[in-house]
Amino acid sequence: MQSNDIISQTNDRASTLLRSDVAEIAHSSQSMPSLASRIKFVLKRNTFNLHRWVSIVALVPVLMWSLSGTSHPFMAHWFKPPIAKEFLPPKPIDQSAVQMPLSEALRTNGIAEIQQFHLAALNGKTYYQVQTSPTAENIYLDTRTGTRLADGDREYAISLAKQYFGNPAANVTETRFMTQFTDEYRYVNRLLPVWKISFQEGGYDIYVETASGRMGTYNTPLRRAFAIVFLYCHNWGFLNAVESLRLGTIVVALGVIILTALSGIVLYAFLWNKRKQRTMTGLRKYHRSIAIAISLSTLTFASSGMYHALHKERLRDEVEQPSVQAMFKAEELNFGVREAGFVAPPMYDVSAVRISGEAHYRFAHSVSVNAADECCAPMQNTEADKNGKKPQTIKAATYFNANTGKALPAGDSKYARIVAAELTGISTGIIMQERLQTEFQGEYGFINKRLPVQRLDLATPEKRTLYVETATGTLAADVQSGDRLEGFTFAYIHKLEFLKPLGKDVRDGVTVGLGFVNSLVAVLGLVLFVRLPRKK
């Protein structure tokens, strides 16, 4: 009963407000043609009702997106917990430790074929790190004796995590091998499979990919809380079980927000009496003044968010960054003391690739800039830095035929083209240009995680560009003209990247400020909806 009284009172106030508006229009438009006056009244009444009711529908989404959006700078910048290292420089492998051939070590352990192998240093020993499946833990075989290290992948993950954490004596509370993304380790981190290593000190969780030695991300209790808020309130992760429902709901909600902002602008600019707006007091004045001041940000956030949501659906299949899945029989991989000496120290890693049907070894090593030739593909920028200093040595990749030991000229370029063709189905004949990319910039941003990569520009109407990480045979990104436009609008309109030259603090401060003010306007609108104060 009480609820009905409140509704009745609210409707009476709305009627009083509209009658007041009618009287105002009649009084102020005595010299106007009656038809024009009536048209303005009808427009004002309908636009006012539209704005009033759609704003109530938009209230919850506005609050969810605005407030969760303000959490991102806290999570990613201001309250980002410290960690000793976010990247580990590659360490040289002891090539003299490679004694037993890989093929023999595999046969000794009953392994007939593998997908990949690397060399890994752990507890003063060198191991063959063997991958038999993309979803299985790696196997570790001593390069001197072929002895298998029990629980080797877990031990190596802990070793890596402690190096990133910067505390070799840290207490491990949990280890978990992960082959799928979760709410805490989301697809934006790209790398799988990974080990989650949890430490008692600070409640840190560190996610490491043992195959490459890279860290996917790290969390603390506070950062996890921010991430969950952002996932459920900004990305609407509570609807993840039905992706079409999540996407549809987001698009409808953003459409309602855009309609709310546009109807408010129309009312303010064309239909409300300007003289009365200047003399207005109370909540209505604050709501109208603040809302019109930030209306552009409301429209740009909502429209760029809708564009991102709709475009993102097309890219969902690309988030896991597909890799070439070649298989090698044990007898194909005769890697041993002779093969370990194919390149001069320092050597950082070796892996297996298949080129023209034959097994090859891909070495990651360092060479003098002057000694590099077509067999040693540079994997590092050789240009002078901002101080005019050129590097004396560079990281390089060299390919050798596993059967003949013969070096493969331009091996990295050939393998990049093979990976691109296998994973996308393109013809290598449409590749116009190829060049090495050693830093995140432009359309290939930090979110892609992988460096260095070979950039392949294709002769297609969509101006398609493929980014291939040859070290892992992975397609790191597949970019077309539409992706570039969406990426630009999302970065510069939604994330305010145009403010970055002023500093991250300025950019994030403006983001947080706009988020809070949009929330304030929504709350003031709700109060007005409930109270509808009488016009003076």
Side-chain angles (χ1 to χ4, degrees):
M1 189 67 180
Q2 185 178 2
S3 175
N4 292 333
D5 291 342
I6 292 174
I7 294 174
S8 178
Q9 292 173 14
T10 301
N11 290 333
D12 289 344
R13 290 170 181 167
S15 299
T16 302
L17 177 60
L18 290 174
R19 285 196 299 271
S20 176
D21 286 346
V22 174
E24 174 190 328
I25 293 173
H27 175 75
S28 61
S29 60
Q30 290 176 355
S31 60
M32 295 175 59
S34 59
L35 178 60
S37 179
R38 284 197 294 269
I39 291 174
K40 183 175 181 179
F41 164 69
V42 171
L43 286 175
K44 181 175 180 180
R45 180 184 62 185
N46 292 335
T47 306
F48 175 78
N49 286 334
L50 173 67
H51 179 76
R52 184 167 174 263
W53 288 104
V54 296
S55 64
I56 290 301
V57 177
L59 175 66
V60 172
V62 166
L63 291 177
M64 288 176 65
W65 276 318
S66 297
L67 295 179
S68 61
T70 64
S71 73
H72 192 270
F74 291 95
M75 173 179 61
H77 183 197
W78 289 332
F79 287 177
K80 186 177 181 180
I83 194 167
K85 297 177 181 178
E86 293 198 28
F87 303 95
L88 291 179
K91 294 181 179 180
I93 294 292
D94 181 6
Q95 291 162 258
S96 65
V98 180
Q99 298 294 323
M100 177 178 284
L102 174 59
S103 55
E104 184 179 340
L106 292 173
R107 284 194 298 268
T108 300
N109 288 273
I111 302 173
E113 62 179 10
I114 67 172
Q115 193 168 61
Q116 189 54 274
F117 85 97
H118 298 278
L119 292 176
L122 178 62
N123 299 328
K125 293 184 178 182
T126 303
Y127 293 90
Y128 291 118
Q129 182 196 68
V130 176
Q131 182 188 54
T132 58
S133 164
T135 58
E137 296 179 25
N138 294 320
I139 298 169
Y140 292 72
L141 308 177
D142 192 308
T143 57
R144 292 183 184 274
T145 65
T147 304
R148 180 169 178 169
L149 177 65
D151 213 11
D153 208 39
R154 175 180 175 275
E155 293 301 315
Y156 188 53
I158 292 173
S159 173
L160 290 172
K162 287 184 176 181
Q163 292 178 62
Y164 284 111
F165 192 42
N167 182 1
N171 295 300
V172 177
T173 58
E174 180 190 4
T175 60
R176 186 194 313 169
F177 184 68
M178 299 174 57
T179 59
Q180 294 182 333
F181 296 112
T182 67
D183 287 350
E184 292 186 2
Y185 184 75
R186 301 188 59 222
Y187 67 86
V188 294
N189 296 299
R190 296 299 196 266
L191 305 180
L192 277 180
V194 294
W195 280 88
K196 175 186 175 182
I197 309 298
S198 302
F199 293 110
Q200 181 179 3
E201 292 80 357
Y204 275 71
D205 294 333
I206 298 180
Y207 298 83
V208 293
E209 182 188 52
T210 53
S212 65
R214 286 181 286 211
M215 177 174 67
T217 191
Y218 67 97
N219 285 327
T220 62
L222 180 60
R223 202 174 189 208
R224 282 194 294 273
F226 276 129
I228 292 298
V229 168
F230 194 81
L231 171 64
Y232 284 94
C233 294
H234 209 81
N235 295 333
W236 292 25
F238 54 88
L239 296 176
N240 276 349
V242 185
E243 176 60 20
S244 58
L245 175 62
R246 186 186 76 91
L247 182 63
T249 305
I250 286 175
V251 170
V252 170
L254 288 169
V256 170
I257 291 173
I258 292 172
L259 186 59
T260 301
L262 289 175
S263 60
I265 292 172
V266 170
L267 282 170
Y268 187 93
F270 303 109
L271 299 178
W272 276 325
N273 185 285
K274 302 297 186 294
R275 179 182 59 80
K276 296 207 69 175
Q277 287 188 64
R278 288 193 294 271
T279 59
M280 188 182 300
T281 61
L283 292 180
R284 294 178 69 193
K285 175 182 179 180
Y286 291 122
H287 176 71
R288 292 185 184 182
S289 300
I290 298 173
I292 200 66
I294 64 160
S295 58
L296 180 61
S297 75
T298 307
L299 287 173
T300 54
F301 280 140
S303 58
S304 60
M306 179 183 290
Y307 185 18
H308 181 67
L310 291 172
H311 189 78
K312 196 175 181 181
E313 173 66 11
R314 191 187 70 77
L315 299 177
R316 281 193 64 82
D317 292 338
E318 297 178 16
V319 297
E320 292 189 18
Q321 299 178 316
S323 299
V324 169
Q325 306 295 327
M327 296 300 294
F328 301 89
K329 295 185 180 301
E331 54 269 23
E332 288 185 276
L333 302 175
N334 53 4
F335 187 86
V337 61
R338 170 178 169 268
E339 288 72 23
F342 279 174
V343 297
M347 181 182 80
Y348 302 107
D349 195 16
V350 64
S351 57
V353 300
R354 193 171 293 283
I355 298 176
S356 301
E358 295 187 286
H360 287 72
Y361 301 124
R362 181 189 188 276
F363 287 84
H365 59 113
S366 288
V367 295
S368 167
V369 173
N370 298 327
D373 56 26
E374 64 175 358
C375 293
C376 302
M379 302 304 292
Q380 176 182 328
N381 186 8
T382 59
E383 300 297 324
D385 61 18
K386 60 182 180 181
N387 298 319
K389 185 178 180 181
K390 289 189 175 182
Q392 298 300 308
T393 60
I394 60 169
K395 296 182 179 67
T398 306
Y399 293 70
F400 291 89
N401 187 293
N403 183 41
T404 65
K406 185 178 179 180
L408 179 67
D412 208 62
S413 176
K414 292 178 180 177
Y415 187 57
R417 291 166 178 255
I418 289 172
V419 171
E422 182 170 334
L423 296 179
T424 66
I426 66 161
S427 167
T428 56
I430 66 171
I431 298 175
M432 294 190 307
Q433 183 180 10
E434 179 181 349
R435 62 183 183 271
L436 180 70
Q437 182 150 339
T438 59
E439 59 184 23
F440 298 113
Q441 61 181 7
E443 66 188 30
Y444 189 78
F446 178 76
I447 193 172
N448 295 294
K449 293 292 186 181
R450 301 176 185 273
L451 282 178
V453 291
Q454 294 287 352
R455 171 176 172 161
L456 308 178
D457 294 319
L458 309 184
T460 63
E462 305 84 11
K463 296 182 179 180
R464 190 177 182 185
T465 299
L466 307 177
Y467 294 86
V468 176
E469 185 185 50
T470 53
T472 59
T474 298
L475 180 64
D478 184 349
V479 182
Q480 301 182 25
S481 297
D483 306 321
R484 295 183 181 95
L485 177 61
E486 189 278 330
F488 178 85
T489 58
F490 191 70
Y492 284 87
I493 296 178
H494 200 85
K495 298 172 68 175
L496 307 184
E497 286 294 307
F498 66 91
L499 295 175
K500 198 171 182 179
L502 301 177
K504 286 185 178 181
D505 287 330
V506 172
R507 180 200 62 189
D508 291 347
V510 172
T511 301
V512 170
L514 289 174
F516 277 125
V517 175
N518 272 283
S519 300
L520 175 62
V521 169
V523 171
L524 289 176
L526 174 63
V527 174
L528 286 172
F529 182 88
V530 174
R531 291 176 54 184
L532 283 174
R534 297 177 183 274
K535 283 192 170 184
K536 301 291 185 181

